[in-house]
Amino acid sequence: MERNTRRNFIRKLGATVGAAGVVGGTSILSSCNSVETSSGDKIKLLTSSGELVEVDKSQLTPAEMPNLSENQTRGREGLPGRSWVMVIDLSKCRNARECMKACQNHHQLRPEQHHINVLQMQDAEHTAPYYMPKPCQHCDNPPCTKVCPVNATFKRNDGIVLIDNERCIGCRFCIAACPYSARVFNWFEPRDAEKYKGVTYNIEANVPQKKGTISKCLFSADRLRDGKLPSCVSACPNGVYWFGDRNEDAVTNGTTKETVSFSKLIKDNAAYTLMEELGTKPRVYYLPPKDRAFPFEGELIEHHS
């Protein structure tokens, strides 16, 4: 996985920050991309996750802002040699919804917008219900990309399906074509629109969001470029999510940080994909809810995926 270089760091930051005396630490500053306000000797920076941090103004100097064209080009190419997959262990989910919160914060989503839905499921009348997180399936044969008239949505070489909202015209053909209901339409101005005003569009995070366009799960493609797990995977407290590279046959658990063989994990646990009969070839695999770690709590509500 490609690591942060000094050059990439500067491009994202939009301002060069000295190493000493920085409030918040390098890990936070590495994701800053906008100067918010200035007051006295301190200045506030907005991170890509929506967090506001404050640093000493004397440690900032102007730097090159990210280039939209470069963002779009590398966003369409993806990470060379990678083939990303996700595994979701249904026996571990207890509806904590930390994955949903992290996703909303990372992608500037309004409270009613979700790239991940945690559904309540029940396979038969006499079996116990369980919870099922459902993100975009990032299909190898995605029907959504084939119907877009302006090539705004596409599948890149590492398998992630993205949207370029600088090209999207909001026709919603992709929403109609997706059998997993994985896309949402931005009917209103995005959350914190004023904070992100003037920030260069990042196609791998799909921020700033744009009214009248489509939004969806991205596997946090921008975080993968920084050598990090997707925000939903890292936020889960219960070990539900595994994520990794199919080419390396390795996936890492976002909670325990354990890395195991991807092929062995799905074979030993009889993993399955959703709507396999459609031939879409999803990259999200589910482990059946056997030997559940938590009892189901709450009243079962019917959902249709």
Side-chain angles (χ1 to χ4, degrees):
M1 189 177 298
E2 181 182 328
R3 300 291 180 185
N4 253 343
T5 64
R6 178 65 176 168
R7 182 178 178 81
N8 287 337
F9 171 81
I10 292 173
R11 283 179 176 173
K12 290 177 184 176
L13 184 57
T16 308
V17 184
V22 177
V23 177
T26 304
S27 59
I28 293 177
L29 293 176
S30 64
S31 61
C32 296
N33 61 3
S34 173
V35 176
E36 174 69 9
T37 60
S38 176
S39 176
D41 296 327
K42 299 291 184 180
I43 192 165
K44 293 179 180 178
L45 300 175
L46 182 65
T47 70
S48 59
S49 60
E51 184 179 5
L52 202 61
V53 297
E54 191 174 67
V55 299
D56 193 306
K57 187 177 180 181
S58 64
Q59 297 173 351
L60 301 177
T61 57
E64 179 186 1
M65 290 296 289
N67 181 282
L68 174 61
S69 179
E70 291 180 6
N71 280 350
Q72 291 172 309
T73 299
R74 74 172 188 170
R76 283 185 178 263
E77 292 173 349
L79 299 177
R82 301 298 188 180
S83 182
W84 304 113
V85 289
M86 175 181 284
V87 181
I88 298 176
D89 188 346
L90 296 176
S91 71
K92 301 286 178 57
C93 184
R94 64 184 312 181
N95 198 29
R97 302 204 167 203
E98 294 300 322
C99 58
M100 297 173 64
K101 295 176 186 175
C103 179
Q104 286 183 312
N105 288 333
H106 189 65
H107 299 296
Q108 196 192 354
L109 301 178
R110 296 166 62 93
E112 69 274 18
Q113 289 182 304
H114 304 288
H115 286 174
I116 307 173
N117 283 307
V118 179
L119 307 179
Q120 297 179 3
M121 305 294 289
Q122 188 175 29
D123 294 335
E125 181 180 358
H126 299 294
T127 60
Y130 59 91
Y131 296 106
M132 185 182 80
K134 188 174 74 63
C136 170
Q137 303 296 296
H138 292 278
C139 305
D140 273 338
N141 182 26
C144 53
T145 63
K146 299 176 176 63
V147 299
C148 180
V150 294
N151 193 28
T153 184
F154 56 93
K155 176 188 168 218
R156 58 189 207 175
N157 291 332
D158 57 11
I160 297 180
V161 177
L162 292 184
I163 300 172
D164 184 348
N165 277 353
E166 290 294 314
R167 296 182 64 89
C168 179
I169 58 174
C171 67
R172 287 167 279 170
F173 287 172
C174 61
I175 291 180
C178 175
Y180 303 106
S181 301
R183 295 176 171 233
V184 297
F185 185 75
N186 284 315
W187 290 99
F188 306 101
E189 291 292 343
R191 190 187 75 180
D192 299 330
E194 286 300 315
K195 286 185 179 179
Y196 287 89
K197 189 175 182 180
V199 173
T200 304
Y201 175 62
N202 184 345
I203 191 173
E204 293 188 321
N206 203 29
V207 292
Q209 297 279 347
K210 187 177 180 181
K211 181 182 177 181
T213 63
I214 309 299
S215 185
K216 65 178 283 295
C217 156
L218 311 160
F219 272 178
S220 295
D222 58 321
R223 286 175 58 92
L224 298 178
R225 188 173 292 280
D226 291 339
K228 301 176 182 176
L229 292 170
S231 55
C232 57
V233 175
S234 296
C236 176
N238 299 315
V240 174
Y241 293 95
W242 299 82
F243 192 88
D245 184 359
R246 188 164 59 184
N247 288 343
E248 291 189 340
D249 192 27
V251 288
T252 299
N253 188 281
T255 306
T256 67
K257 311 306 180 188
E258 179 186 11
T259 298
V260 301
S261 163
F262 165 66
S263 59
K264 188 174 190 302
L265 179 66
I266 62 173
K267 179 181 178 182
D268 290 351
N269 293 280
Y272 63 91
T273 55
L274 299 182
M275 301 183 185
E276 184 178 355
E277 68 278 9
L278 298 181
T280 52
K281 300 179 180 179
R283 285 173 176 254
V284 176
Y285 295 78
Y286 287 93
L287 307 186
K290 63 179 182 179
D291 302 326
R292 298 173 194 178
F294 309 102
F296 181 87
E297 297 177 349
E299 182 179 353
L300 181 65
I301 302 173
E302 289 190 7
H303 288 275
H304 302 280
S305 59

